[in-house]
Amino acid sequence: MSKFIIQVNSPAYGSSSSYNAYRFTETALKNGHVVDKVFFYQDGVLNTNHLNSPASDEFDLGKAWLSLSERYNVPLVNCVSAALRRGVLSQTDANENQLSHWNMEPPFMMGGLGELVVGIESADRLVSF
């Protein structure tokens, strides 16, 4: 059994990388491995935008991440700097920036690269998509 950290660098749509990250994470968990956290970085933070509205016949990757987190209690962490640059805000960020709207809600949470580095120290493997 290995302990993984998954880093997602690509947006939810327009590339298969995020879907591959999701499938890898799901498979690892089903096979008894531990996923310490999924860290969304660069364009990967766009996975956490609650305003993503795929067509009804398309796979909803945002909902899939939420379901996976709920089923296996895996933290979903956004790089706060990357998220703010790309217009992904939590309620706290919206309040701090005096904005009336936000588009990221729990269980997604904001974090920093420090969380990624500390997590890497305790994980067996970092897998980046």
Side-chain angles (χ1 to χ4, degrees):
M1 181 168 79
S2 294
K3 185 175 179 182
F4 292 98
I5 290 186
I6 309 299
Q7 182 177 331
V8 180
N9 299 321
S10 299
Y13 300 101
S15 162
S16 62
S17 293
S18 291
Y19 179 73
N20 292 337
Y22 168 76
R23 294 290 298 161
F24 179 89
T25 304
E26 181 182 48
T27 301
L29 291 165
K30 283 181 177 176
N31 286 311
H33 298 286
V34 173
V35 175
D36 187 54
K37 69 183 67 162
V38 178
F39 191 83
F40 297 93
Y41 187 55
Q42 299 174 338
D43 285 344
V45 299
L46 297 173
N47 284 268
T48 70
N49 183 346
H50 281 241
L51 298 178
N52 286 337
S53 301
S56 61
D57 62 342
E58 293 179 7
F59 185 75
D60 190 333
L61 191 52
K63 284 186 180 174
W65 283 119
L66 294 174
S67 175
L68 189 75
S69 174
E70 184 177 298
R71 253 184 300 153
Y72 294 100
N73 198 26
V74 175
L76 304 173
V77 181
N78 251 351
C79 172
V80 66
S81 298
L84 293 177
R85 277 189 216 110
R86 289 164 177 83
V88 177
L89 286 87
S90 67
Q91 184 174 9
T92 301
D93 298 317
N95 292 339
E96 289 176 0
N97 291 289
Q98 300 174 345
L99 299 170
S100 58
H101 303 284
W102 58 92
N103 55 355
M104 189 199 84
E105 296 180 5
F108 291 109
M109 64 182 96
M110 293 294 193
L113 286 177
E115 284 188 53
L116 177 63
V117 171
V118 169
I120 289 171
E121 289 177 348
S122 65
D124 298 320
R125 291 182 170 82
L126 166 70
V127 182
S128 183
F129 291 88

